[in-house]
Amino acid sequence: MLTPDILLQAYKLMVTAKSMVETYDVNRQVCKYVHSTSRGHEAIQLATGLQLLACDWVSPYYRDDSIMLSIGFTPYELMLQLLAKKDDPFSGGRSYYCHPSSKDTKRPFIIHQSSATGMQAIPTTGLAQGIQFLEQAQSPLLQKSPEGKLPVVVCSLGDGSVSEGEVSEALQFAVLKQLPIIYLVQDNQWSISASADEIRTMNAYEFAAGFKGLKRMQCDGSDFIRSYETMQQAIDYARTERKPVLVHAKVPLLGHHTSGVRKEFYRNREDLLKHGLYDPIPKLRLLLNGVGYNEHEINQVEAQAMEKVLADFALAQQAAEPDAGSVEDYVFAPTPVKEEKGQRLPKNGERVMMVDAALHAIEELMEEYPEAILYGQDVGARLGGVFREAATLSEKFGVNRVFNTAIQEAYIVGSTAGLSALGMKPIVEIQFADYIYPGLNQLITEVSKSCYLSNGKFPVQMLLRVPTGAYGGGGPYHSGSIETTLLSIKGIKVVYPCNAADMKGLMKAAFLDPNPVVMLEHKGLYWSKVPGTDEARTIEPDKTYILPLGKANMVLEADPAMVRKGETVCIITYGMGVYWAKAAAEKLLGQLEIIDLRTLFPLDEEAVFNAVRRHGKVLVLSEEQQHNSFAEALSHRISHNCFQFLDAKVEVLGALNLPAVPINITLEAAMLPTAAKVIERIHKLLAY
């Protein structure tokens, strides 16, 4: 219920936010990093934050410093991020102003927030997905208020971001699953310099009518009372009904888009005057007069706010700068898996195919970890994955833990950030490597950066399975290799097993790793259907077997006598390359050492460099198109670190540099490496 005290508190925070804006603007040389502020948006933001509980989750966007004030953060804390100081509580000086992250149990929780407009909708919907799961499972991981109230999630968005496709993916999932989330859309009629009439045919309230099951509300977001009442209804609805709601709040934009794109660059006097008529501060000031506060009391609040802001700004300027030596901290959280454990070759063990080893690994993990869930396209009960890689899992663990999603690669990838923040352990799948690209925005913008930009608070524990590789006429959209694309993303790990035992051991290690891990699984090795790949079927390790990431394996050792004579070559490879190399070795007896990388990042450089030093001649073998590939980058790293041991230049053999894998099997074979091509290249090396 609104009281005069709440109105006064709101006004105090409102003029505090205004004082911050004014202080930043007159100190532009000091506030040198790009920032946005909430000027004009204060009423709806304060009305939201003042009603959230400490058990709730909120995702502010980059203009939401009034939300931050309303949930208890001080101007000083916000200014430490503004000035990129060492003690910035959100990112340690790594991210922009109002890009928060917080695990403070006395305030609503905040996962890592990025600048990419609308991208927070998916990770934040993932939070609501996780809360619903934990609630239904009666999990101790679910945090409630001291009074037993259930948490809700607030996702704050600018109106311009609603046109992003990923916002639609989030809304679709939220209404499909009926999640306890509030989407707060602040509509100031501008998307940087593009006005609303240029870029949309409807506002967010009208757009939301297309999502059946999404409750819609709207209000004048410059009117604090209307905003408070609307948000009270929205929060109560999500908290009690456990269903999604969208609030469309029309607000003026009184400040700049950012400090780097100032309002005078693109707005005329008429537009600025029109927006100024809706300034929330004079409106709330009149309300205070109406409920009994006199001019002296109100003026005193304003003076105290400015005094506090100036004092905090002076302190923030004096705060320490980050230590340059910390720049590499928190790229990854430490993994508990350090060494190989369990029985790789148990007595009476049976040979299994790679696809079954993966299936059994996930089954064992889900039995042990009730917080583990598996989802993706077609992994549910009817099919169990297009490669049967999830067969029977939905029947065993139920549709709440193993289920189909829509064709939404972005949601599949990005939702894991929210789930992980709640302590859940998501295993997700992209159906084919060629279709990962819609998910790259989330993988790059949200998942990979979360640990680093939250200063270690929110690493994303996510295992992403991706069937990859070419064989048997799969064609241009089901045969691609994507490792170079993935390895260009910093903050993720990439695994590529080539046999069943490695698949199971690496799957367990990847699952237990607190960081995002992508597991590339070659379709041609799943069932050992490709001639020469029967050895991908191995004795299945026991359920305790774990193989650490970053440990290469010597698949084949060269004849020591030939090594001493300089008649050998080491092949550095992975995936299907292992079997091309082994086929070549049958024709070059004793002359080849084969190193299977198993993990592409982290890379076992020590094993690679030691092999190179032993032989002096090296071939890096990959299925990917060769130019600008991981294989070529690795060849450079070898040359740079081992040049004094090399007897010949490092050779690289990859697929032909074509934009896609042709469907015709003759053309496919012409594009890919083969044992014959490997032998030809080895002869070239041995001729040096």
Side-chain angles (χ1 to χ4, degrees), residues 236-447:
D236 285 349
Y237 177 81
R239 199 179 304 283
T240 57
E241 297 298 319
R242 314 307 286 158
K243 295 179 179 179
V245 55
L246 181 141
V247 176
H248 172 249
K250 192 170 181 179
V251 293
L253 179 60
L254 302 182
H256 310 292
H257 168 68
T258 69
S259 57
V261 183
R262 301 179 66 78
K263 58 188 177 184
E264 58 267 22
F265 293 175
Y266 62 95
R267 297 172 68 187
N268 59 32
R269 182 172 180 272
E270 181 184 4
D271 176 73
L272 291 169
L273 288 173
K274 181 177 69 175
H275 279 250
L277 295 174
Y278 296 92
D279 189 335
I281 293 179
K283 289 185 177 184
L284 188 52
R285 198 179 209 281
L286 285 174
L287 278 172
L288 291 177
N289 290 143
V291 296
Y293 291 101
N294 61 44
E295 288 296 306
H296 173 71
E297 290 173 310
I298 297 172
N299 290 338
Q300 190 174 32
V301 166
E302 293 174 351
Q304 289 172 346
M306 179 57 83
E307 182 181 351
K308 170 67 172 172
V309 166
L310 291 175
D312 281 5
F313 188 67
L315 283 174
Q317 289 180 73
Q318 297 167 14
E321 297 291 325
D323 182 352
S326 69
V327 70
E328 293 184 291
D329 292 350
Y330 302 119
V331 175
F332 293 108
T335 177
V337 180
K338 304 291 187 182
E339 58 187 32
E340 189 172 3
K341 293 182 180 178
Q343 294 296 315
R344 184 179 176 97
L345 295 169
K347 292 180 180 179
N348 303 318
E350 296 183 1
R351 289 186 76 207
V352 296
M353 297 180 292
M354 280 184 66
V355 70
D356 289 332
L359 177 65
H360 298 162
I362 291 177
E363 181 178 355
E364 291 164 5
L365 288 166
M366 295 190 75
E367 286 174 346
E368 185 174 356
Y369 296 94
E371 65 272 30
I373 62 174
L374 168 66
Y375 57 98
Q377 297 163 29
D378 297 306
V379 301
R382 293 187 191 90
L383 187 59
V386 294
F387 300 103
R388 304 293 288 161
E389 72 283 358
T392 72
L393 292 178
S394 186
E395 292 93 331
K396 289 178 180 175
F397 297 105
V399 295
N400 287 334
R401 294 187 66 191
V402 181
F403 56 90
N404 291 327
T405 66
I407 302 172
Q408 293 183 329
E409 288 84 4
Y411 189 85
I412 291 168
V413 173
S415 55
T416 63
L419 291 162
S420 177
L422 291 162
M424 294 182 64
K425 302 180 186 299
I427 305 167
V428 294
E429 183 177 314
I430 299 296
Q431 201 163 74
F432 291 92
D434 307 80
Y435 300 140
I436 198 172
Y437 298 100
L440 283 187
N441 204 357
Q442 288 292 320
L443 189 62
I444 295 168
T445 304
E446 308 298 331
V447 173

Side-chain angles (χ1 to χ4, degrees), residues 470 481 522 530 573-574 576-581 619-626 652-656 667-679 681:
S481 293
H522 200 292
V530 176
T573 190
Y574 55 93
M576 188 63 79
V578 171
Y579 297 94
W580 293 323
L619 170 65
V620 182
L621 175 59
S622 167
E623 183 173 328
E624 271 197 303
Q625 293 93 323
Q626 183 173 322
V652 179
L653 177 59
L656 298 181
L667 297 178
E668 178 190 81
M671 178 186 180
L672 298 176
T674 63
K677 293 175 185 178
V678 173
I679 291 170
R681 196 63 64 89

Side-chain angles (χ1 to χ4, degrees), residues 57 125-137 139-142 179 366 369-375 400-403 415-428 458-463 510-515:
W57 293 77
T125 305
L127 281 169
Q129 176 189 347
I131 286 171
Q132 183 188 73
F133 175 86
L134 296 175
E135 182 182 343
Q136 292 174 348
S139 170
L141 293 174
L142 182 67
L179 303 178
M366 295 190 75
Y369 296 94
E371 65 272 30
I373 62 174
L374 168 66
Y375 57 98
N400 287 334
R401 294 187 66 191
V402 181
F403 56 90
S415 55
T416 63
L419 291 162
S420 177
L422 291 162
M424 294 182 64
K425 302 180 186 299
I427 305 167
V428 294
F458 288 106
V460 178
Q461 180 166 8
M462 175 265 279
L463 172 55
F511 175 85
L512 295 171
D513 199 304
N515 303 289

Side-chain angles (χ1 to χ4, degrees), residues 24 28 47 139 158 195 248 251 349 411 482 499 557 617 643:
Y24 302 162
R28 290 174 63 185
S139 170
S195 60
H248 172 249
V251 293
Y411 189 85
I482 58 169
N499 62 62
E557 185 177 2
K617 300 181 182 72
F643 69 95

Side-chain angles (χ1 to χ4, degrees), residues 16-39 65-66 69 74-83 97-98 256 259 262 306 309-310 312-314 316-317:
T16 297
K18 180 174 182 288
S19 298
M20 290 161 63
V21 173
E22 293 170 348
T23 301
Y24 302 162
D25 216 32
V26 298
N27 289 276
R28 290 174 63 185
Q29 295 301 315
V30 176
C31 304
K32 57 188 176 181
Y33 303 112
V34 174
H35 58 272
S36 295
T37 66
S38 59
R39 191 68 185 95
D65 54 3
S66 285
L69 291 172
T74 65
Y76 177 70
E77 289 173 302
L78 301 182
M79 291 167 181
L80 288 174
Q81 186 169 53
L82 172 81
L83 303 178
Y97 180 65
C98 204
H256 310 292
S259 57
R262 301 179 66 78
M306 179 57 83
V309 166
L310 291 175
D312 281 5
F313 188 67
Q317 289 180 73

